[in-house]
Amino acid sequence: MLMAESSKKMRDYKKFLVWEKSHQLTLDVYYNLTSFPKDELFGLISQMKRSSSSIPTNIAEGCGRNSDKDFCRFLYVAFGSANELEYQILLSIDLKFVEFENGQKLLFQVEEIKKMLNGLITKLNNATS
C-alpha cells in the first residue's frame, strides 16, 4: 500500500503559472462586475463569476487527481470555461457594461490563459501517449 501511495502524482496547483494567472483573471473579472447594472445580478454577472472562477477551480481540482489523464480532463473543462468567459466579456463590451479598454485587458488575459492551458494539455497528452 505504501508503494502505491508514493507513486501518486502530487501537484500543487499554486505552483502552476496558469493557475496564478487564472486566479488573477477571476479577481479582475469580479472587480469589473461592480460597474454592471444591478438587474444583471442573476444574469450576466452570475454567469461571469461562475465561468471565471471555474478556470482556476478546475486546474486546482485536476491537480488533486492521480493521473495525467485525469488532470488533462480538468484542464479541458477549464479551457471550455475560458471560452465561455471570452464570449461573456465580448458581450459585456458590446452592451457597454464594461469599458472597452478594461474589456480588452480581460480578453488579453483570457487569450494568454487559453494558450497556456493548450500548451499544458499538449504536454500531458504527449507524455501519456
Side-chain angles (χ1 to χ4, degrees):
M1 183 70 170
L2 190 56
M3 283 180 54
E5 288 177 357
S6 65
S7 68
K8 291 181 182 178
K9 293 193 182 250
M10 297 294 291
R11 296 181 181 97
D12 180 357
Y13 64 88
K14 293 181 290 304
K15 292 184 179 177
F16 282 84
L17 184 58
V18 69
W19 176 85
E20 188 178 315
K21 287 185 177 283
S22 61
H23 174 66
Q24 185 59 55
L25 171 63
T26 302
L27 296 174
D28 293 345
V29 165
Y30 270 63
Y31 174 77
N32 277 277
L33 292 174
T34 60
S35 66
F36 279 44
K38 298 303 171 215
D39 63 344
E40 285 295 331
L41 185 60
F42 299 107
L44 195 53
I45 291 172
S46 177
Q47 290 177 324
M48 290 179 75
K49 284 181 173 182
R50 279 196 311 273
S51 59
S52 65
S53 64
S54 175
I55 302 166
T57 297
N58 275 288
I59 295 168
E61 187 171 355
C63 282
R65 301 301 168 143
N66 294 331
S67 70
D68 287 347
K69 184 177 178 183
D70 284 340
F71 183 30
C72 197
R73 193 174 86 248
F74 282 90
L75 294 176
Y76 278 117
V77 174
F79 192 91
S81 295
N83 280 325
E84 183 179 359
L85 178 61
E86 181 177 48
Y87 168 69
Q88 293 161 347
I89 294 167
L90 288 169
L91 178 60
S92 299
I93 294 168
D94 288 348
L95 292 172
K96 308 226 182 316
F97 290 168
V98 65
E99 291 181 23
F100 182 80
E101 288 287 321
N102 291 341
Q104 291 303 309
K105 289 176 187 174
L106 293 172
L107 289 171
F108 177 81
Q109 288 174 275
V110 171
E111 187 64 29
E112 182 180 31
I113 288 164
K114 286 172 49 177
K115 287 177 183 177
M116 294 175 80
L117 286 169
N118 188 54
L120 187 52
I121 289 167
T122 299
K123 181 179 174 183
L124 290 168
N125 282 334
N126 288 341
T128 58
S129 53

